[in-house]
Amino acid sequence: MLAPSEARDLGWLKESLQAAIELEFATVPVYLCGMWSIEVQSGAAFSSIRSIVIDEMFHMALACNMLTTIGGTPEINTEKVRPKYPGHLPGGVRKGLTVALTGLSKQGRRSDVYADRVS
């Protein structure tokens, strides 16, 4: 959330943390669907995606804790912030990218269905 430094007050910080929460929350189901679609749930691909899922959940928990610490209340399970699939990532992140709850596929990788790329 771009803002001049003089506009970065407590309200701006609360809004920014809420935006981070929404982004992290929106990515977890996408990665889980990809991870669960792997038939042999071991190996590099499965482990890499599992690691990303754990990181995303950790980032969300950190943002929730920071927001609570400064007097905010994380908004997670409301119609306004609940992720919708297929759809776009919250906050205008990677505009034009549509994320969906699908399994891993060559077609999905080529069409950039996933928010991040796993090498």
Side-chain angles (χ1 to χ4, degrees):
M1 298 183 49
L2 296 176
S5 57
E6 61 273 2
R8 296 179 191 166
D9 58 5
L10 184 60
W12 174 84
L13 182 56
K14 287 179 180 179
E15 287 177 22
S16 296
L17 288 168
Q18 179 61 44
I21 291 164
E22 292 172 27
L23 178 60
E24 300 299 339
F25 187 45
T27 61
V28 169
V30 176
Y31 288 120
L32 285 174
C33 284
M35 186 180 81
W36 291 332
S37 74
I38 298 173
E39 288 183 26
V40 179
Q41 297 194 344
S42 62
F46 184 86
S47 295
S48 293
I49 296 171
R50 184 177 184 276
S51 178
I52 291 169
V53 169
I54 291 168
D55 286 346
E56 299 295 340
M57 290 189 296
F58 181 63
H59 298 155
M60 183 177 164
L62 287 174
C64 286
N65 287 341
M66 287 188 282
L67 182 55
T68 301
T69 299
I70 62 171
T73 302
E75 191 174 345
I76 297 169
N77 193 23
T78 65
E79 187 63 34
K80 176 184 158 204
V81 301
R82 197 173 305 127
K84 294 164 187 62
Y85 304 99
H88 300 286
L89 293 172
V93 173
R94 303 234 4 222
K95 294 179 181 175
L97 173 69
T98 300
V99 293
L101 301 180
T102 64
L104 293 178
S105 69
K106 290 180 184 179
Q107 183 263 341
R109 178 148 168 104
R110 280 194 309 271
S111 65
D112 206 17
V113 170
Y114 301 99
D116 291 322
R117 292 183 180 218
V118 178
S119 298

